[in-house]
Amino acid sequence: QVQLVESGGGVVQPGRSLRLSCAASRFTFRSYAMHWVRQAPGKGLEWVAIISFDGSSQYYADSVKGRFTISRDNSKSTLSLQMNSLRPEDTAVYYCARDDIQQMVSFGMDVWGQGTTVTVSS
Amino acid sequence: SYELTQPPSLSVSPGLTATITCSGDKLGDQYVSWFQQKPGQSPVLLIYQDNKRPSGIPERFSGSNSGNTATLTIGGTQALDEADYHCQAWDTSNYVVFGGGTQVTVL
Protein backbone atom coordinates (compact mmCIF):
# COMPACT_ATOMS: atom_id res chain seq x y z
CA GLN A 1 0.00 0.00 0.00
CA VAL A 2 0.95 3.68 -0.20
CA GLN A 3 3.75 4.28 2.27
CA LEU A 4 6.06 6.91 3.72
CA VAL A 5 9.00 5.83 5.86
CA GLU A 6 11.09 8.34 7.79
CA SER A 7 14.64 7.77 8.94
CA GLY A 8 17.62 9.68 10.29
CA GLY A 9 16.45 10.62 13.75
CA GLY A 10 18.64 10.31 16.81
CA VAL A 11 20.23 12.11 19.72
CA VAL A 12 22.27 15.19 18.85
CA GLN A 13 23.92 17.96 20.84
CA PRO A 14 22.64 21.53 20.66
CA GLY A 15 24.14 23.43 17.75
CA ARG A 16 24.80 20.32 15.70
CA SER A 17 23.11 19.14 12.50
CA LEU A 18 20.95 16.22 11.47
CA ARG A 19 19.40 15.15 8.17
CA LEU A 20 16.06 13.37 8.02
CA SER A 21 14.83 11.35 5.07
CA CYS A 22 11.40 10.18 4.00
CA ALA A 23 11.12 7.37 1.46
CA ALA A 24 7.90 7.19 -0.54
CA SER A 25 6.56 4.08 -2.21
CA ARG A 26 3.58 2.86 -4.20
CA PHE A 27 2.39 6.26 -5.38
CA THR A 28 3.49 8.88 -7.89
CA PHE A 29 5.71 10.90 -5.55
CA ARG A 30 6.39 13.67 -8.08
CA SER A 31 2.68 14.56 -8.19
CA TYR A 32 2.38 15.55 -4.53
CA ALA A 33 3.50 18.38 -2.34
CA MET A 34 5.19 17.14 0.83
CA HIS A 35 5.24 18.40 4.41
CA TRP A 36 7.32 17.89 7.50
CA VAL A 37 5.29 18.08 10.70
CA ARG A 38 6.68 17.58 14.21
CA GLN A 39 5.26 16.78 17.61
CA ALA A 40 7.13 17.54 20.80
CA PRO A 41 6.60 15.11 23.70
CA GLY A 42 3.08 15.51 25.07
CA LYS A 43 2.31 18.40 22.73
CA GLY A 44 0.23 19.03 19.63
CA LEU A 45 1.24 18.94 16.00
CA GLU A 46 3.50 21.69 14.67
CA TRP A 47 3.95 22.27 10.97
CA VAL A 48 7.61 22.60 9.94
CA ALA A 49 7.86 23.00 6.18
CA ILE A 50 6.34 22.26 2.80
CA ILE A 51 7.84 21.72 -0.65
CA SER A 52 5.91 21.83 -3.90
CA PHE A 53 5.50 18.78 -6.11
CA ASP A 54 8.39 19.83 -8.34
CA GLY A 55 10.60 21.30 -5.62
CA SER A 56 10.34 24.83 -6.97
CA SER A 57 8.73 26.32 -3.84
CA GLN A 58 9.41 25.86 -0.16
CA TYR A 59 7.86 27.47 2.91
CA TYR A 60 8.93 27.21 6.52
CA ALA A 61 7.54 27.82 9.97
CA ASP A 62 9.09 30.86 11.61
CA SER A 63 10.55 28.62 14.33
CA VAL A 64 12.83 26.83 11.84
CA LYS A 65 13.34 29.38 9.08
CA GLY A 66 17.02 29.90 8.29
CA ARG A 67 18.02 26.70 10.12
CA PHE A 68 16.10 23.93 8.31
CA THR A 69 16.01 23.15 4.60
CA ILE A 70 13.43 20.95 2.92
CA SER A 71 14.32 19.26 -0.37
CA ARG A 72 13.22 16.39 -2.56
CA ASP A 73 14.57 14.03 -5.19
CA ASN A 74 11.70 12.96 -7.40
CA SER A 75 13.91 10.48 -9.26
CA LYS A 76 14.40 8.60 -5.96
CA SER A 77 10.98 9.37 -4.42
CA THR A 78 12.71 10.82 -1.42
CA LEU A 79 12.04 13.84 0.78
CA SER A 80 14.69 15.32 3.06
CA LEU A 81 14.95 17.78 5.92
CA GLN A 82 18.37 19.23 6.70
CA MET A 83 18.34 20.54 10.24
CA ASN A 84 21.18 22.84 11.33
CA SER A 85 21.87 24.74 14.55
CA LEU A 86 19.58 22.40 16.46
CA ARG A 87 18.07 23.55 19.72
CA PRO A 88 16.55 21.60 22.63
CA GLU A 89 13.12 22.89 21.59
CA ASP A 90 13.51 21.03 18.27
CA THR A 91 13.15 17.76 20.21
CA ALA A 92 10.15 16.00 18.67
CA VAL A 93 8.84 13.18 16.54
CA TYR A 94 9.15 14.31 12.93
CA TYR A 95 6.58 13.12 10.41
CA CYS A 96 6.51 13.48 6.66
CA ALA A 97 3.10 13.72 5.00
CA ARG A 98 1.89 14.02 1.43
CA ASP A 99 -0.60 16.60 0.24
CA ASP A 100 -2.51 16.64 -3.02
CA ILE A 101 -2.55 20.33 -3.93
CA GLN A 102 -4.39 21.23 -7.09
CA GLN A 103 -4.62 24.83 -8.30
CA MET A 104 -3.49 26.12 -4.93
CA VAL A 105 -6.14 24.07 -3.07
CA SER A 106 -5.12 21.35 -0.63
CA PHE A 107 -6.94 18.02 -0.58
CA GLY A 108 -5.48 17.25 2.82
CA MET A 109 -2.44 15.49 4.28
CA ASP A 110 -3.78 12.04 3.57
CA VAL A 111 -0.71 9.84 4.05
CA TRP A 112 1.70 10.11 6.98
CA GLY A 113 4.84 8.24 7.88
CA GLN A 114 5.38 6.56 11.22
CA GLY A 115 7.69 9.33 12.40
CA THR A 116 11.33 9.53 13.44
CA THR A 117 12.44 10.85 16.83
CA VAL A 118 14.92 13.69 17.18
CA THR A 119 16.32 14.48 20.62
CA VAL A 120 18.49 17.55 21.06
CA SER A 121 20.36 17.33 24.33
CA SER A 122 23.82 17.77 25.71
CA SER B 1 1.01 34.77 13.27
CA TYR B 2 -2.25 32.98 12.68
CA GLU B 3 -3.56 30.88 15.55
CA LEU B 4 -6.18 28.15 15.86
CA THR B 5 -7.74 27.51 19.25
CA GLN B 6 -9.23 24.18 20.36
CA PRO B 7 -10.53 23.12 23.77
CA PRO B 8 -7.84 20.97 25.44
CA SER B 9 -10.24 18.20 26.37
CA LEU B 10 -13.75 16.89 25.92
CA SER B 11 -15.67 14.04 27.50
CA VAL B 12 -18.58 12.28 25.83
CA SER B 13 -20.74 9.30 26.71
CA PRO B 14 -20.88 6.36 24.31
CA GLY B 15 -23.58 6.73 21.68
CA LEU B 16 -23.83 10.48 22.05
CA THR B 17 -22.54 13.24 19.82
CA ALA B 18 -19.17 14.90 20.36
CA THR B 19 -18.62 18.39 19.01
CA ILE B 20 -15.06 19.72 18.76
CA THR B 21 -14.51 23.37 17.88
CA CYS B 22 -11.58 25.11 16.26
CA SER B 23 -11.52 28.91 16.31
CA GLY B 24 -9.50 31.41 14.33
CA ASP B 25 -9.89 34.84 12.82
CA LYS B 26 -12.06 34.57 9.70
CA LEU B 27 -11.47 30.82 9.70
CA GLY B 28 -14.53 30.38 7.49
CA ASP B 29 -12.53 31.95 4.66
CA GLN B 30 -10.05 29.05 4.78
CA TYR B 31 -10.36 25.34 4.20
CA VAL B 32 -10.01 23.28 7.38
CA SER B 33 -8.80 19.71 7.80
CA TRP B 34 -9.23 17.49 10.84
CA PHE B 35 -6.96 14.68 12.01
CA GLN B 36 -7.40 11.91 14.54
CA GLN B 37 -4.37 10.69 16.46
CA LYS B 38 -4.34 7.77 18.86
CA PRO B 39 -1.51 7.28 21.39
CA GLY B 40 1.72 6.20 19.75
CA GLN B 41 0.25 6.44 16.26
CA SER B 42 0.55 8.85 13.35
CA PRO B 43 -2.27 11.28 12.58
CA VAL B 44 -5.07 10.15 10.28
CA LEU B 45 -6.93 12.54 7.97
CA LEU B 46 -10.63 12.57 8.88
CA ILE B 47 -11.95 15.65 7.08
CA TYR B 48 -10.53 17.92 4.38
CA GLN B 49 -11.90 21.06 2.72
CA ASP B 50 -14.16 21.65 5.74
CA ASN B 51 -16.56 18.75 5.23
CA LYS B 52 -15.18 16.11 2.87
CA ARG B 53 -14.31 12.63 4.10
CA PRO B 54 -11.51 10.56 2.56
CA SER B 55 -12.49 7.07 1.56
CA GLY B 56 -12.65 4.73 4.52
CA ILE B 57 -13.61 7.37 7.07
CA PRO B 58 -16.94 6.52 8.74
CA GLU B 59 -19.94 8.74 8.06
CA ARG B 60 -20.28 9.53 11.77
CA PHE B 61 -17.43 11.99 11.30
CA SER B 62 -18.58 15.29 9.78
CA GLY B 63 -17.25 18.81 9.55
CA SER B 64 -18.42 22.36 9.03
CA ASN B 65 -16.79 25.76 8.91
CA SER B 66 -18.31 29.23 9.07
CA GLY B 67 -17.39 32.62 10.46
CA ASN B 68 -14.58 32.16 12.97
CA THR B 69 -15.28 28.55 13.93
CA ALA B 70 -14.84 25.14 12.36
CA THR B 71 -16.52 22.15 13.95
CA LEU B 72 -15.85 18.43 13.89
CA THR B 73 -18.85 16.34 14.89
CA ILE B 74 -18.65 12.72 15.89
CA GLY B 75 -22.10 11.17 15.83
CA GLY B 76 -22.81 8.07 17.89
CA THR B 77 -19.42 8.21 19.59
CA GLN B 78 -17.75 4.87 20.15
CA ALA B 79 -14.99 3.81 22.53
CA LEU B 80 -12.61 3.51 19.60
CA ASP B 81 -13.09 7.23 18.91
CA GLU B 82 -11.11 8.06 22.05
CA ALA B 83 -8.15 9.99 20.67
CA ASP B 84 -6.63 13.42 20.13
CA TYR B 85 -8.20 15.52 17.38
CA HIS B 86 -6.31 18.26 15.57
CA CYS B 87 -7.65 20.96 13.27
CA GLN B 88 -5.50 22.47 10.54
CA ALA B 89 -5.78 25.39 8.15
CA TRP B 90 -3.64 27.52 5.88
CA ASP B 91 -2.96 31.18 6.44
CA THR B 92 -2.65 33.68 3.62
CA SER B 93 1.14 33.38 3.50
CA ASN B 94 1.14 29.70 2.51
CA TYR B 95 1.86 28.64 6.06
CA VAL B 96 0.13 25.65 7.59
CA VAL B 97 -1.30 26.06 11.07
CA PHE B 98 -2.49 23.41 13.52
CA GLY B 99 -4.70 23.88 16.51
CA GLY B 100 -3.45 22.75 19.89
CA GLY B 101 -5.44 19.52 19.76
CA THR B 102 -8.41 18.23 21.73
CA GLN B 103 -8.24 15.07 23.79
CA VAL B 104 -11.56 13.24 23.54
CA THR B 105 -12.46 10.82 26.30
CA VAL B 106 -15.37 8.41 25.89
CA LEU B 107 -16.87 7.42 29.22
Side-chain angles (χ1 to χ4, degrees), chain A residues 102-108, chain B residues 2 4 26-34 47-52 65 70 87-91 97:
Chain A
Q102 301 178 22
Q103 297 181 332
M104 304 286 287
V105 176
S106 167
F107 283 70
Chain B
Y2 195 70
L4 297 177
K26 299 179 181 178
L27 185 57
D29 293 344
Q30 309 291 333
Y31 275 139
V32 172
S33 294
W34 289 92
I47 297 288
Y48 67 97
Q49 293 180 5
D50 295 340
N51 54 24
K52 296 180 173 64
N65 184 20
C87 62
Q88 174 256 308
W90 295 72
D91 75 6
V97 182

mmCIF file of all heavy atoms in Angstrom, chain A residues 102-108, chain B residues 2 4 26-34 47-52 65 70 87-91 97:
data_model
loop_
_atom_site.group_PDB
_atom_site.id
_atom_site.type_symbol
_atom_site.label_atom_id
_atom_site.label_comp_id
_atom_site.label_asym_id
_atom_site.label_seq_id
_atom_site.Cartn_x
_atom_site.Cartn_y
_atom_site.Cartn_z
ATOM 1 N N GLN A 102 -4.002 20.971 -5.720
ATOM 2 C CA GLN A 102 -4.389 21.234 -7.092
ATOM 3 C C GLN A 102 -4.869 22.680 -7.213
ATOM 4 O O GLN A 102 -5.775 23.086 -6.501
ATOM 5 C CB GLN A 102 -5.482 20.262 -7.528
ATOM 6 C CG GLN A 102 -5.069 18.800 -7.432
ATOM 7 C CD GLN A 102 -6.195 17.854 -7.815
ATOM 8 O OE1 GLN A 102 -7.132 18.242 -8.511
ATOM 9 N NE2 GLN A 102 -6.107 16.611 -7.370
ATOM 10 N N GLN A 103 -4.263 23.418 -8.080
ATOM 11 C CA GLN A 103 -4.618 24.828 -8.303
ATOM 12 C C GLN A 103 -4.684 25.576 -6.982
ATOM 13 O O GLN A 103 -5.661 26.262 -6.680
ATOM 14 C CB GLN A 103 -5.947 24.915 -9.066
ATOM 15 C CG GLN A 103 -5.851 24.304 -10.459
ATOM 16 C CD GLN A 103 -7.144 24.394 -11.253
ATOM 17 O OE1 GLN A 103 -8.224 24.426 -10.666
ATOM 18 N NE2 GLN A 103 -7.034 24.436 -12.565
ATOM 19 N N MET A 104 -3.661 25.412 -6.204
ATOM 20 C CA MET A 104 -3.489 26.120 -4.926
ATOM 21 C C MET A 104 -4.473 25.657 -3.847
ATOM 22 O O MET A 104 -4.590 26.303 -2.807
ATOM 23 C CB MET A 104 -3.634 27.636 -5.122
ATOM 24 C CG MET A 104 -2.689 28.219 -6.153
ATOM 25 S SD MET A 104 -1.012 28.318 -5.579
ATOM 26 C CE MET A 104 -1.137 29.678 -4.427
ATOM 27 N N VAL A 105 -5.186 24.567 -4.056
ATOM 28 C CA VAL A 105 -6.136 24.066 -3.071
ATOM 29 C C VAL A 105 -5.678 22.695 -2.563
ATOM 30 O O VAL A 105 -5.451 21.780 -3.355
ATOM 31 C CB VAL A 105 -7.553 23.965 -3.667
ATOM 32 C CG1 VAL A 105 -8.506 23.342 -2.650
ATOM 33 C CG2 VAL A 105 -8.036 25.339 -4.097
ATOM 34 N N SER A 106 -5.571 22.590 -1.244
ATOM 35 C CA SER A 106 -5.122 21.346 -0.633
ATOM 36 C C SER A 106 -6.279 20.356 -0.494
ATOM 37 O O SER A 106 -7.389 20.737 -0.104
ATOM 38 C CB SER A 106 -4.533 21.624 0.748
ATOM 39 O OG SER A 106 -4.366 20.432 1.481
ATOM 40 N N PHE A 107 -5.977 19.095 -0.794
ATOM 41 C CA PHE A 107 -6.943 18.022 -0.576
ATOM 42 C C PHE A 107 -6.583 17.230 0.679
ATOM 43 O O PHE A 107 -7.025 16.104 0.866
ATOM 44 C CB PHE A 107 -7.017 17.119 -1.808
ATOM 45 C CG PHE A 107 -7.816 17.718 -2.930
ATOM 46 C CD1 PHE A 107 -7.335 18.805 -3.641
ATOM 47 C CD2 PHE A 107 -9.065 17.219 -3.260
ATOM 48 C CE1 PHE A 107 -8.078 19.386 -4.672
ATOM 49 C CE2 PHE A 107 -9.815 17.782 -4.285
ATOM 50 C CZ PHE A 107 -9.318 18.864 -4.989
ATOM 51 N N GLY A 108 -5.750 17.838 1.530
ATOM 52 C CA GLY A 108 -5.481 17.251 2.825
ATOM 53 C C GLY A 108 -4.228 16.395 2.869
ATOM 54 O O GLY A 108 -3.814 15.815 1.881
ATOM 55 N N TYR B 2 -0.894 33.491 12.587
ATOM 56 C CA TYR B 2 -2.254 32.984 12.684
ATOM 57 C C TYR B 2 -2.337 31.877 13.723
ATOM 58 O O TYR B 2 -1.444 31.034 13.812
ATOM 59 C CB TYR B 2 -2.682 32.463 11.308
ATOM 60 C CG TYR B 2 -4.161 32.242 11.167
ATOM 61 C CD1 TYR B 2 -5.047 33.310 11.116
ATOM 62 C CD2 TYR B 2 -4.669 30.961 11.076
ATOM 63 C CE1 TYR B 2 -6.406 33.112 10.981
ATOM 64 C CE2 TYR B 2 -6.023 30.747 10.929
ATOM 65 C CZ TYR B 2 -6.896 31.828 10.883
ATOM 66 O OH TYR B 2 -8.244 31.623 10.747
ATOM 67 N N LEU B 4 -4.936 28.923 15.755
ATOM 68 C CA LEU B 4 -6.181 28.150 15.856
ATOM 69 C C LEU B 4 -6.321 27.669 17.287
ATOM 70 O O LEU B 4 -5.371 27.136 17.862
ATOM 71 C CB LEU B 4 -6.151 26.956 14.896
ATOM 72 C CG LEU B 4 -6.067 27.276 13.402
ATOM 73 C CD1 LEU B 4 -5.979 25.991 12.589
ATOM 74 C CD2 LEU B 4 -7.265 28.103 12.958
ATOM 75 N N LYS B 26 -11.530 34.798 11.046
ATOM 76 C CA LYS B 26 -12.061 34.568 9.698
ATOM 77 C C LYS B 26 -11.742 33.159 9.184
ATOM 78 O O LYS B 26 -11.442 32.967 7.993
ATOM 79 C CB LYS B 26 -11.537 35.627 8.729
ATOM 80 C CG LYS B 26 -11.950 37.042 9.112
ATOM 81 C CD LYS B 26 -11.391 38.077 8.123
ATOM 82 C CE LYS B 26 -11.791 39.488 8.534
ATOM 83 N NZ LYS B 26 -11.236 40.524 7.623
ATOM 84 N N LEU B 27 -11.808 32.189 10.075
ATOM 85 C CA LEU B 27 -11.468 30.815 9.698
ATOM 86 C C LEU B 27 -12.363 30.303 8.575
ATOM 87 O O LEU B 27 -11.947 29.492 7.757
ATOM 88 C CB LEU B 27 -11.567 29.903 10.924
ATOM 89 C CG LEU B 27 -11.142 28.444 10.749
ATOM 90 C CD1 LEU B 27 -9.707 28.346 10.246
ATOM 91 C CD2 LEU B 27 -11.308 27.671 12.053
ATOM 92 N N GLY B 28 -13.600 30.796 8.529
ATOM 93 C CA GLY B 28 -14.527 30.376 7.488
ATOM 94 C C GLY B 28 -14.055 30.711 6.085
ATOM 95 O O GLY B 28 -14.572 30.154 5.108
ATOM 96 N N ASP B 29 -13.078 31.603 5.967
ATOM 97 C CA ASP B 29 -12.532 31.954 4.655
ATOM 98 C C ASP B 29 -11.461 30.971 4.199
ATOM 99 O O ASP B 29 -10.960 31.067 3.074
ATOM 100 C CB ASP B 29 -11.922 33.358 4.691
ATOM 101 C CG ASP B 29 -12.960 34.447 4.889
ATOM 102 O OD1 ASP B 29 -14.161 34.171 4.707
ATOM 103 O OD2 ASP B 29 -12.570 35.584 5.248
ATOM 104 N N GLN B 30 -11.075 30.040 5.093
ATOM 105 C CA GLN B 30 -10.048 29.052 4.784
ATOM 106 C C GLN B 30 -10.657 27.657 4.776
ATOM 107 O O GLN B 30 -11.684 27.409 5.414
ATOM 108 C CB GLN B 30 -8.936 29.093 5.848
ATOM 109 C CG GLN B 30 -8.364 30.452 6.131
ATOM 110 C CD GLN B 30 -7.557 30.984 4.976
ATOM 111 O OE1 GLN B 30 -7.003 30.217 4.192
ATOM 112 N NE2 GLN B 30 -7.466 32.295 4.868
ATOM 113 N N TYR B 31 -9.998 26.748 4.091
ATOM 114 C CA TYR B 31 -10.364 25.344 4.197
ATOM 115 C C TYR B 31 -9.738 24.754 5.462
ATOM 116 O O TYR B 31 -8.588 25.052 5.793
ATOM 117 C CB TYR B 31 -9.892 24.555 2.986
ATOM 118 C CG TYR B 31 -10.820 24.591 1.813
ATOM 119 C CD1 TYR B 31 -10.326 24.721 0.509
ATOM 120 C CD2 TYR B 31 -12.199 24.471 1.965
ATOM 121 C CE1 TYR B 31 -11.174 24.733 -0.593
ATOM 122 C CE2 TYR B 31 -13.053 24.487 0.877
ATOM 123 C CZ TYR B 31 -12.531 24.622 -0.397
ATOM 124 O OH TYR B 31 -13.374 24.640 -1.482
ATOM 125 N N VAL B 32 -10.477 23.916 6.150
ATOM 126 C CA VAL B 32 -10.007 23.279 7.379
ATOM 127 C C VAL B 32 -9.972 21.765 7.192
ATOM 128 O O VAL B 32 -10.870 21.179 6.586
ATOM 129 C CB VAL B 32 -10.912 23.642 8.570
ATOM 130 C CG1 VAL B 32 -10.543 22.833 9.811
ATOM 131 C CG2 VAL B 32 -10.813 25.138 8.868
ATOM 132 N N SER B 33 -8.908 21.169 7.724
ATOM 133 C CA SER B 33 -8.804 19.712 7.803
ATOM 134 C C SER B 33 -8.834 19.303 9.264
ATOM 135 O O SER B 33 -8.483 20.088 10.153
ATOM 136 C CB SER B 33 -7.500 19.217 7.170
ATOM 137 O OG SER B 33 -7.466 19.444 5.782
ATOM 138 N N TRP B 34 -9.230 18.065 9.491
ATOM 139 C CA TRP B 34 -9.226 17.489 10.839
ATOM 140 C C TRP B 34 -8.486 16.156 10.816
ATOM 141 O O TRP B 34 -8.627 15.374 9.869
ATOM 142 C CB TRP B 34 -10.656 17.254 11.324
ATOM 143 C CG TRP B 34 -11.418 18.502 11.654
ATOM 144 C CD1 TRP B 34 -12.222 19.214 10.816
ATOM 145 C CD2 TRP B 34 -11.467 19.161 12.917
ATOM 146 N NE1 TRP B 34 -12.752 20.298 11.476
ATOM 147 C CE2 TRP B 34 -12.311 20.281 12.776
ATOM 148 C CE3 TRP B 34 -10.877 18.932 14.153
ATOM 149 C CZ2 TRP B 34 -12.586 21.153 13.823
ATOM 150 C CZ3 TRP B 34 -11.143 19.802 15.202
ATOM 151 C CH2 TRP B 34 -11.993 20.902 15.036
ATOM 152 N N ILE B 47 -11.157 14.686 7.844
ATOM 153 C CA ILE B 47 -11.950 15.647 7.081
ATOM 154 C C ILE B 47 -10.987 16.576 6.354
ATOM 155 O O ILE B 47 -9.981 17.011 6.931
ATOM 156 C CB ILE B 47 -12.851 16.490 8.001
ATOM 157 C CG1 ILE B 47 -13.867 15.624 8.737
ATOM 158 C CG2 ILE B 47 -13.533 17.620 7.223
ATOM 159 C CD1 ILE B 47 -14.995 15.079 7.872
ATOM 160 N N TYR B 48 -11.281 16.898 5.100
ATOM 161 C CA TYR B 48 -10.533 17.921 4.382
ATOM 162 C C TYR B 48 -11.510 18.867 3.694
ATOM 163 O O TYR B 48 -12.691 18.526 3.512
ATOM 164 C CB TYR B 48 -9.549 17.298 3.385
ATOM 165 C CG TYR B 48 -10.195 16.568 2.225
ATOM 166 C CD1 TYR B 48 -10.370 17.179 0.989
ATOM 167 C CD2 TYR B 48 -10.638 15.260 2.376
ATOM 168 C CE1 TYR B 48 -10.959 16.512 -0.064
ATOM 169 C CE2 TYR B 48 -11.237 14.578 1.328
ATOM 170 C CZ TYR B 48 -11.386 15.206 0.108
ATOM 171 O OH TYR B 48 -11.978 14.544 -0.938
ATOM 172 N N GLN B 49 -11.049 20.024 3.339
ATOM 173 C CA GLN B 49 -11.896 21.056 2.720
ATOM 174 C C GLN B 49 -13.200 21.226 3.488
ATOM 175 O O GLN B 49 -14.295 21.206 2.906
ATOM 176 C CB GLN B 49 -12.138 20.729 1.250
ATOM 177 C CG GLN B 49 -10.871 20.834 0.425
ATOM 178 C CD GLN B 49 -11.074 20.506 -1.049
ATOM 179 O OE1 GLN B 49 -12.192 20.280 -1.510
ATOM 180 N NE2 GLN B 49 -9.976 20.479 -1.792
ATOM 181 N N ASP B 50 -13.074 21.350 4.799
ATOM 182 C CA ASP B 50 -14.157 21.650 5.740
ATOM 183 C C ASP B 50 -15.070 20.471 6.041
ATOM 184 O O ASP B 50 -15.450 20.266 7.199
ATOM 185 C CB ASP B 50 -15.053 22.799 5.236
ATOM 186 C CG ASP B 50 -14.331 24.116 5.135
ATOM 187 O OD1 ASP B 50 -13.278 24.271 5.789
ATOM 188 O OD2 ASP B 50 -14.817 25.001 4.413
ATOM 189 N N ASN B 51 -15.484 19.718 5.006
ATOM 190 C CA ASN B 51 -16.557 18.745 5.229
ATOM 191 C C ASN B 51 -16.469 17.499 4.364
ATOM 192 O O ASN B 51 -17.434 16.734 4.289
ATOM 193 C CB ASN B 51 -17.911 19.426 4.990
ATOM 194 C CG ASN B 51 -17.992 20.102 3.634
ATOM 195 O OD1 ASN B 51 -17.282 19.736 2.705
ATOM 196 N ND2 ASN B 51 -18.852 21.090 3.525
ATOM 197 N N LYS B 52 -15.330 17.277 3.733
ATOM 198 C CA LYS B 52 -15.180 16.108 2.870
ATOM 199 C C LYS B 52 -14.452 14.993 3.622
ATOM 200 O O LYS B 52 -13.467 15.256 4.324
ATOM 201 C CB LYS B 52 -14.426 16.468 1.584
ATOM 202 C CG LYS B 52 -15.160 17.481 0.694
ATOM 203 C CD LYS B 52 -14.360 17.788 -0.543
ATOM 204 C CE LYS B 52 -15.149 18.665 -1.513
ATOM 205 N NZ LYS B 52 -15.444 19.975 -0.941
ATOM 206 N N ASN B 65 -17.680 24.618 8.691
ATOM 207 C CA ASN B 65 -16.791 25.761 8.907
ATOM 208 C C ASN B 65 -17.500 27.036 8.463
ATOM 209 O O ASN B 65 -17.908 27.152 7.302
ATOM 210 C CB ASN B 65 -15.492 25.582 8.116
ATOM 211 C CG ASN B 65 -14.490 26.687 8.372
ATOM 212 O OD1 ASN B 65 -14.560 27.400 9.370
ATOM 213 N ND2 ASN B 65 -13.529 26.829 7.468
ATOM 214 N N ALA B 70 -14.644 26.418 13.039
ATOM 215 C CA ALA B 70 -14.843 25.144 12.364
ATOM 216 C C ALA B 70 -15.223 24.112 13.416
ATOM 217 O O ALA B 70 -14.777 24.196 14.569
ATOM 218 C CB ALA B 70 -13.578 24.716 11.630
ATOM 219 N N CYS B 87 -7.203 20.225 14.449
ATOM 220 C CA CYS B 87 -7.654 20.959 13.267
ATOM 221 C C CYS B 87 -6.449 21.591 12.591
ATOM 222 O O CYS B 87 -5.391 21.785 13.200
ATOM 223 C CB CYS B 87 -8.699 22.016 13.612
ATOM 224 S SG CYS B 87 -8.139 23.330 14.720
ATOM 225 N N GLN B 88 -6.606 21.908 11.328
ATOM 226 C CA GLN B 88 -5.496 22.474 10.544
ATOM 227 C C GLN B 88 -6.048 23.360 9.444
ATOM 228 O O GLN B 88 -7.063 23.033 8.835
ATOM 229 C CB GLN B 88 -4.646 21.358 9.948
ATOM 230 C CG GLN B 88 -3.539 21.813 9.003
ATOM 231 C CD GLN B 88 -3.882 21.564 7.559
ATOM 232 O OE1 GLN B 88 -4.249 20.461 7.168
ATOM 233 N NE2 GLN B 88 -3.744 22.586 6.721
ATOM 234 N N ALA B 89 -5.378 24.477 9.219
ATOM 235 C CA ALA B 89 -5.776 25.385 8.151
ATOM 236 C C ALA B 89 -4.517 26.009 7.552
ATOM 237 O O ALA B 89 -3.404 25.758 8.020
ATOM 238 C CB ALA B 89 -6.710 26.464 8.696
ATOM 239 N N TRP B 90 -4.734 26.792 6.522
ATOM 240 C CA TRP B 90 -3.637 27.517 5.881
ATOM 241 C C TRP B 90 -3.861 29.010 6.127
ATOM 242 O O TRP B 90 -4.986 29.480 6.067
ATOM 243 C CB TRP B 90 -3.633 27.276 4.373
ATOM 244 C CG TRP B 90 -3.352 25.882 3.960
ATOM 245 C CD1 TRP B 90 -4.186 24.808 4.084
ATOM 246 C CD2 TRP B 90 -2.175 25.402 3.321
ATOM 247 N NE1 TRP B 90 -3.603 23.679 3.571
ATOM 248 C CE2 TRP B 90 -2.356 24.026 3.084
ATOM 249 C CE3 TRP B 90 -0.983 26.001 2.912
ATOM 250 C CZ2 TRP B 90 -1.381 23.233 2.464
ATOM 251 C CZ3 TRP B 90 -0.025 25.219 2.289
ATOM 252 C CH2 TRP B 90 -0.225 23.852 2.083
ATOM 253 N N ASP B 91 -2.781 29.737 6.385
ATOM 254 C CA ASP B 91 -2.963 31.184 6.437
ATOM 255 C C ASP B 91 -2.633 31.770 5.062
ATOM 256 O O ASP B 91 -2.286 31.053 4.136
ATOM 257 C CB ASP B 91 -2.153 31.809 7.578
ATOM 258 C CG ASP B 91 -0.659 31.890 7.262
ATOM 259 O OD1 ASP B 91 -0.227 31.574 6.135
ATOM 260 O OD2 ASP B 91 0.090 32.269 8.174
ATOM 261 N N VAL B 97 -1.117 25.847 9.634
ATOM 262 C CA VAL B 97 -1.299 26.057 11.068
ATOM 263 C C VAL B 97 -2.129 24.915 11.643
ATOM 264 O O VAL B 97 -3.142 24.516 11.043
ATOM 265 C CB VAL B 97 -2.015 27.393 11.344
ATOM 266 C CG1 VAL B 97 -2.161 27.617 12.840
ATOM 267 C CG2 VAL B 97 -1.255 28.552 10.706
#
